[in-house]
Amino acid sequence: MSIISPPRDSFDHRDPLTSSLSASYAGVVAFIAVANEGSFSRAADRLGVGRSAVSRSVQKLEQQLDTRLFLRTTRSTTITGEGELFYENCRPGVERILQALEEMRDLREGPPQGQLKISAPHGFGRKVVAPLLAEFRVHFPAVALELLLEERAVDLATDRVDVAFRDGRLEDSQVIAKQLIPMRMHVCASPDYARRHGLPESVDDLAAHACINQRLTNGRLQYWDFKIDGYARSITPHADIVVNDPSLAMGAVLDGQGLSQLAAYQVCDALRAGTLVECLAHLVPDDRGHYLCYLSRQQLPKRIRVFIDFMTTRIRALDLDCSTIELNARRQSAAIPMLAAEAGVAA
C-alpha cells in the first residue's frame, strides 16, 4: 500500500494556524520594531539584521494583510491609521513572547542585562534615586539605565516604563506597589525665621505666617496634610511664594523666607544639621509612602528583580523618614518660642 501525500496547498488549507504563524511572525516582529523606532534602519539595528530583511518582512506582511502599514519616503517613515490599529492589537502579544525569550536568555546567560527604563518624581528622583544609580551600575554593568523625572503618574505599559517611583497615596490597582519608606510631611522653617517670627503651634496659626507652597502639574496648589485627633485634615494656606519644584521651595525656606511643608527625604539632613527647625511635629500625617511600582507580572526579567531588591535595600538604609531625629525636632520646636521671646517676637 502506498501513502499519497496531500498537495502542499491542501495541507496549508487544512492547517491555517501553522501556515499563518510561519508566514506572519517575522513580519509582525519587524513591523513592531519599525513602529517603535520610527525607522527601518534603526529597527534593523535593534533586531540585529539587515535593513533589506526588515523591509522585505514588512512588505510580505502588508501583502498578506492587503493593507499599507507605513508611508515611506526617502526621508521619513510614518505609520498609517491602519498600522496604528494593527500595532495596538499586536504589541501586547509580541511583548509577552519577547519577554519570555528574554527571561529564558537571562536564566541561561547569567548576569542581568538589557535596558531598564525608570520613572521618578523630580524631587525624589534627584535626591534619592539618581545618586544610587552609579553604585547599581558597578554591581550590574550590563544593565543600561534610563531615568525620566516627571511628576505625572506614568502608565507603565503605555509609556514602556519598567519601574516607577511614586509618592503619596496610591490608588492604581493595575500595578504592584512596594512601599520603600513612609512619606512623612514636615512643616519647616529656618532658625532665623523662627527667631524673627516665631513658629505656629496649631494649623490655624499658619494664617499668620509667610507660607511657601508648590504648584502641582495639574495646576492646583499643593495641599498641606495633617493628622489632628486621629483625623486627616488638608488645607491650602495662603502662600506668599509659589514654586513648581520642591528644591525651589526648600531653597526659599533655607533663605528664611517662610514656612513650607516638605517631604522628610528633603529636610532630614537640614534638620540634623540644625539649618532647619520643625514645627507641628505632633500633627505629621502617617498615611503616605514612597513606593516602587512595576507591572503585575508573575515573572520579571532579572534586571528588574535585581533593581527592585537593590533600591529597596539601599533606600531603607538611608533613614529618610526622619524617625531618628523626630524627638530632637520636637525639642527644637519647643525651644523656639523662648528664642523668639528673647528676640522680642511673640510666638
Side-chain angles (χ1 to χ4, degrees):
M1 178 183 295
S2 63
I3 300 177
I4 302 176
S5 298
R8 184 175 183 82
D9 58 349
S10 173
F11 176 83
D12 288 347
H13 177 72
R14 289 187 296 111
D15 191 5
L17 178 61
T18 300
S19 61
S20 177
L21 284 176
S22 61
S24 302
Y25 182 72
V28 171
V29 171
F31 164 75
I32 292 287
V34 175
N36 286 340
E37 300 297 328
S39 161
F40 279 77
S41 297
R42 289 195 295 271
D45 292 340
R46 182 73 177 268
L47 295 173
V49 299
R51 184 187 185 283
S52 59
V54 173
S55 180
R56 284 195 301 270
S57 294
V58 172
Q59 287 176 356
K60 289 180 180 179
L61 181 63
E62 288 177 324
Q63 292 170 0
Q64 183 180 5
L65 299 175
D66 194 22
T67 302
R68 178 68 64 87
L69 300 175
F70 295 103
L71 297 176
R72 308 168 179 82
T73 69
T74 56
R75 294 186 177 182
S76 66
T77 298
T78 305
I79 193 168
T80 64
E82 291 82 359
E84 289 180 345
L85 177 62
F86 188 66
Y87 175 82
E88 292 301 324
N89 288 333
C90 288
R91 187 184 66 182
V94 172
E95 287 182 343
R96 292 295 297 273
I97 293 172
L98 294 177
Q99 178 188 342
L101 294 172
E102 188 171 14
E103 288 174 0
M104 293 303 101
R105 186 161 52 247
D106 283 347
L107 290 175
R108 291 197 311 270
E109 299 176 1
Q113 59 182 303
Q115 182 80 19
L116 190 63
K117 191 173 181 181
I118 309 152
S119 172
H122 285 83
F124 195 79
R126 288 196 188 99
K127 176 76 173 179
V128 181
V129 179
L132 293 173
L133 296 184
E135 183 186 354
F136 178 83
R137 288 273 298 153
V138 169
H139 292 288
F140 306 104
V143 179
L145 302 176
E146 180 179 359
L147 175 61
L148 305 175
L149 299 183
E150 48 192 333
E151 297 304 316
R152 69 183 180 93
V154 298
D155 185 307
L156 273 69
T158 302
D159 297 319
R160 301 186 167 216
V161 170
D162 297 300
V163 176
F165 293 88
R166 293 181 182 172
D167 297 336
R169 308 177 185 92
L170 293 193
E171 300 176 355
D172 188 350
S173 61
Q174 302 302 311
V175 300
I176 295 176
K178 182 176 186 179
Q179 181 169 313
L180 300 172
I181 54 174
M183 182 180 181
R184 297 173 60 82
M185 301 297 294
H186 301 269
V187 179
C188 297
S190 70
D192 178 64
Y193 178 92
R195 291 187 184 95
R196 289 185 289 115
H197 304 286
L199 291 175
E201 297 182 2
S202 69
V203 171
D204 294 334
D205 290 345
L206 289 171
H209 285 269
C211 293
I212 301 162
N213 208 352
Q214 298 179 54
R215 180 80 64 183
L216 305 179
T217 54
N218 60 12
R220 69 171 178 83
L221 290 173
Q222 176 179 300
Y223 295 127
W224 291 23
D225 293 329
F226 301 94
K227 189 174 183 179
I228 303 174
D229 296 328
Y231 295 95
R233 179 179 174 187
S234 297
I235 68 168
T236 306
H238 171 74
D240 295 323
I241 298 175
V242 176
V243 296
N244 69 343
D245 185 272
S247 61
L248 296 178
M250 175 79 166
V253 174
L254 289 169
D255 287 342
Q257 299 182 54
L259 307 169
S260 189
Q261 188 177 64
L262 300 165
Y265 75 86
Q266 295 175 262
V267 300
C268 270
D269 291 342
L271 288 174
R272 291 189 182 97
T275 55
L276 285 183
V277 293
E278 181 184 3
C279 58
L280 307 179
H282 59 294
L283 304 180
V284 172
D286 57 4
D287 60 344
R288 292 184 171 197
H290 295 286
Y291 297 88
L292 196 156
C293 303
Y294 49 99
L295 286 178
S296 302
R297 296 174 179 165
Q298 292 183 345
Q299 295 178 320
L300 287 172
K302 187 180 292 186
R303 65 182 182 276
I304 298 180
R305 293 199 302 271
V306 297
F307 184 81
I308 292 170
D309 292 341
F310 175 88
M311 283 293 173
T312 301
T313 300
R314 293 298 189 274
I315 291 174
R316 287 178 177 173
L318 294 176
D319 187 28
L320 295 175
D321 64 351
C322 297
S323 59
T324 61
I325 60 175
E326 181 180 353
L327 179 59
N328 184 50
R330 291 185 181 182
R331 287 172 177 168
Q332 285 180 317
S333 297
I336 290 300
M338 292 184 290
L339 292 173
E342 291 173 2
V345 177

